[in-house]
Amino acid sequence: MVRLPIVLSLTLSAGLLLGATFFSGGKKLTDLAKGYAKYREILMLIENNYVDSVNTEELVDYSIEKMLEKLDPHTSYFNADEALAARSQLDSGFDGIGVEFNLYNDTVFVVSPLSGGPSEKVGIQSGDRILTVNGESLSGPGATNAKVYKLLRGKRGSEVNMKIQRVGVEENLNFTVLRDRIPTYSVDAAYMVDEEIGYIKVSRFSETTYTEFKSALSSLKATGLKKLVLDLRGNPGGYMERATSIADELIAGNKLLVYTDGKDSRFDRQTRARIPGMFEEGPVIVLVDEGSASASEIVAGALQDHDRALVVGRRTFGKGLVQMPIKLSDGSELRLTISRYYTPSGRSIQKPYELGKGENYNEDLTKRFNSGEYFSADSIKFDPNLRYKTEGGRTVYGGGGIMPDVFVPRDTSYNSKYLFELYSKNIIREYALKYANANSKQLEKQPFKQYLDTFTVTDAMLDDLIKDATKAGIKPSDKDLSRSRPIILAQTKAMIGRYIWGRERKDGLSNELFQVLNPLDNVYREALNQFSKASALEKGDFSSLNVIPK
């Protein structure tokens, strides 16, 4: 459930890091010793003389957290329980509601709902602010990581009632989420769009991502893959090594994939392509958006800089800082920023920040929405001093995320209050499950491909769904219903397909869901129309590729 904005690229032990830092000698050591002595003195005075009883451990944790707020927005501290929970997201499953979150300035921001998890099912979105959980406030001085874990994690099948504030929606939204076992798979979909085009969706870079990706790519190649769409939208990152390994499967030779630069050479590292990849030839399109961060940006940046892939979508998050996880003696963990990473062309994609002003940093996505950036590429201003060249001489920019080669605005044409309410109360999912259970024997007689091509959600089915919504207190609106009807029908069909055919899967893929919904996705549709440019790009023909803003 915890946000993992780190790129786990180094495996130095805590002893090596602390030894190199604390015993470097000279004035720095003297200043550090004075500071440590002062802190210890104050802590002892409080413990021995303060008028009331105090929890010294809590004071220490609080002081560490406040100290780190003076640094960059991604250096962070987790107590022992929080550290265990944080690690579980990338290497094991857990029971909870399935969101990656960021807690800053007493506010809980949803970074991304985990794909396939219960929060995604009810419509929780990136950028949502969690105000209350089961009536308890998660906004204000009492909001801590420990409290978030306590309120959001729990026994599988138990309910979590949340009040959400969403950018662009005037009224707060109420959601009821059933806790479940959070999927540990990170490749969500891998299927053939047609006889030549394959689609792979990667939701995060966890311990098993590279293995899952290779399996998916191998399967698609066996069925005729000639062109690839790699979807990294909403992918918040994870292990750097898994990201560079995936890039290596698509980039030939020993080309540079990414490099890091720290305070000194201890944390400097170059990562190059080193293996014969499975798909080094053939056009590639990478899908990104404002939720694509960290390791996702490493993959997109490497492919873009080597002119290996056409990047389609919206500007990525802009995280170019590397954190090293350092396990402390009591089981707590410090995630210390030790370097910046750079794409092969030399650009840093870290968006601007000021030390100690993380609140401004965390408001960046809201500012993008308010400035109109999600809807118009003209709203994005580039620093001419941060201009770089790709391997083939195309212009790209650093200083704040990966700008796509082909911009596609956010599609809000289906959005309505009625749709949000259907999501928040699980109406579509519950109706689909009810329908699937009642009609499973008949539906299972056909292959999914036949279902995909021929099944239609009828007016009678929609009427039944609307009745379920009315019983749940959601009043239908003709205007809202007309606006959201296509996505309601598609979501219903997708969920039914997922329940009937997806539950038999052992590979963690949700192909049925994506095959129904992707045709309504404007970024996906645009990508399929851009393969002529992707093919020209691969061949080194840039004459038709006037796609990077100059």
Side-chain angles (χ1 to χ4, degrees), residues 63-369:
S63 62
I64 292 173
E65 290 170 1
K66 288 299 180 182
M67 174 175 62
L68 298 184
E69 286 182 6
K70 294 295 184 182
L71 305 180
D72 69 274
H74 293 293
T75 291
S76 55
Y77 167 80
F78 300 95
N79 65 34
D81 291 338
E82 293 169 348
L84 182 63
R87 287 191 294 270
S88 72
Q89 186 176 314
L90 290 185
D91 53 25
S92 66
F94 56 88
D95 291 350
I97 71 164
V99 294
E100 294 174 346
F101 69 86
N102 189 27
L103 175 61
Y104 191 85
N105 201 23
D106 303 327
T107 302
V108 180
F109 297 87
V110 174
V111 175
S112 179
L114 295 183
S115 180
S119 288
E120 181 199 49
K121 292 175 182 177
V122 303
I124 302 295
Q125 298 181 3
S126 299
D128 285 349
R129 298 183 181 188
I130 303 177
L131 302 179
T132 66
V133 175
N134 292 333
E136 289 194 47
S137 175
L138 265 186
S139 179
T144 63
N145 279 318
K147 186 173 183 179
V148 176
Y149 297 139
K150 179 181 178 181
L151 293 177
L152 298 188
R153 291 197 172 195
K155 187 177 180 181
R156 196 180 315 182
S158 56
E159 282 191 354
V160 180
N161 296 302
M162 297 193 298
K163 181 176 290 185
I164 295 291
Q165 183 183 71
R166 178 169 295 168
V167 174
V169 179
E170 289 186 8
E171 298 180 13
N172 292 331
L173 304 173
N174 295 308
F175 290 87
T176 298
V177 185
L178 287 180
R179 294 186 181 98
D180 201 352
R181 189 67 175 171
I182 304 306
T184 57
Y185 296 104
S186 53
V187 174
D188 291 348
Y191 67 87
M192 292 298 292
V193 180
D194 58 24
E195 293 182 355
E196 293 188 337
I197 300 174
Y199 171 86
I200 298 179
K201 167 71 173 176
V202 181
S203 60
R204 60 191 179 276
F205 292 94
S206 67
E207 191 160 340
T208 61
T209 300
Y210 180 48
T211 302
E212 293 177 54
F213 178 81
K214 286 196 298 181
S215 176
L217 190 59
S218 176
S219 176
L220 295 186
K221 286 190 69 176
T223 54
L225 176 71
K226 298 291 189 300
K227 306 171 183 178
L228 176 64
V229 176
L230 176 59
D231 192 346
L232 299 180
R233 289 175 296 171
N235 184 323
Y239 294 113
M240 177 186 280
E241 190 274 335
R242 307 304 188 273
T244 54
S245 293
I246 287 177
D248 197 356
E249 293 291 344
L250 306 175
I251 295 175
N254 69 335
K255 294 178 179 178
L256 183 64
L257 302 178
V258 67
Y259 67 93
T260 60
D261 184 25
K263 182 179 292 186
D264 54 52
S265 59
R266 289 172 299 152
F267 305 124
D268 296 349
R269 176 182 177 182
Q270 287 192 354
T271 302
R272 293 183 172 274
R274 56 184 178 81
I275 63 170
M278 295 176 63
F279 196 70
E280 293 182 347
E281 294 183 358
V284 178
I285 291 179
V286 178
L287 308 186
V288 297
D289 64 9
E290 57 280 352
S292 306
S294 192
S296 297
E297 295 171 297
I298 287 175
V299 175
L303 293 171
Q304 187 180 56
D305 280 4
H306 288 301
D307 302 302
R308 177 66 187 94
L310 191 75
V311 181
V312 175
R314 294 186 296 277
R315 183 164 65 105
T316 61
F317 183 85
K319 180 184 180 295
L321 300 175
V322 181
Q323 285 71 51
M324 181 168 63
I326 306 162
K327 190 173 181 179
L328 305 179
S329 59
D330 64 347
S332 59
E333 188 170 283
L334 173 66
R335 298 200 168 165
L336 185 67
T337 297
I338 45 81
S339 62
R340 292 178 172 83
Y341 76 76
Y342 297 83
T343 69
S345 66
R347 55 181 166 149
S348 168
I349 52 83
Q350 175 61 48
K351 59 188 177 183
Y353 66 89
E354 295 182 61
L355 293 178
K357 294 188 177 181
E359 66 275 7
N360 296 333
Y361 185 84
N362 279 286
E363 291 290 338
D364 176 64
L365 294 185
T366 299
K367 291 178 180 177
R368 293 192 198 186
F369 178 89

Side-chain angles (χ1 to χ4, degrees), residues 311-470:
V311 181
V312 175
R314 294 186 296 277
R315 183 164 65 105
T316 61
F317 183 85
K319 180 184 180 295
L321 300 175
V322 181
Q323 285 71 51
M324 181 168 63
I326 306 162
K327 190 173 181 179
L328 305 179
S329 59
D330 64 347
S332 59
E333 188 170 283
L334 173 66
R335 298 200 168 165
L336 185 67
T337 297
I338 45 81
S339 62
R340 292 178 172 83
Y341 76 76
Y342 297 83
T343 69
S345 66
R347 55 181 166 149
S348 168
I349 52 83
Q350 175 61 48
K351 59 188 177 183
Y353 66 89
E354 295 182 61
L355 293 178
K357 294 188 177 181
E359 66 275 7
N360 296 333
Y361 185 84
N362 279 286
E363 291 290 338
D364 176 64
L365 294 185
T366 299
K367 291 178 180 177
R368 293 192 198 186
F369 178 89
N370 292 334
S371 71
E373 178 181 327
Y374 291 168
F375 307 101
S376 172
D378 293 338
S379 299
I380 305 170
K381 307 303 179 185
F382 293 97
D383 185 344
N385 296 319
L386 298 176
R387 183 179 297 167
Y388 298 85
K389 294 292 184 180
T390 69
E391 183 178 328
R394 295 186 302 138
T395 300
V396 290
Y397 290 87
I402 300 290
M403 181 64 188
D405 301 312
V406 177
F407 176 85
V408 184
R410 178 183 283 190
D411 184 9
T412 60
S413 59
Y414 300 128
N415 290 356
S416 70
K417 181 182 178 182
Y418 187 69
L419 179 64
F420 292 149
E421 289 180 331
L422 291 180
Y423 285 155
S424 71
K425 294 192 176 180
N426 297 327
I427 300 301
I428 297 175
R429 183 174 66 88
E430 293 299 331
Y431 175 81
L433 178 59
K434 182 172 61 175
Y435 184 91
N437 289 337
N439 297 274
S440 59
K441 291 183 178 180
Q442 179 181 352
L443 291 170
E444 288 170 351
K445 293 178 181 178
Q446 60 185 318
F448 174 73
K449 182 64 167 62
Q450 182 180 343
Y451 171 86
L452 179 65
D453 293 339
T454 64
F455 184 84
T456 300
V457 177
T458 65
D459 290 343
M461 292 172 64
L462 181 59
D463 288 342
D464 287 342
L465 188 152
I466 293 171
K467 289 176 183 177
D468 288 348
T470 303

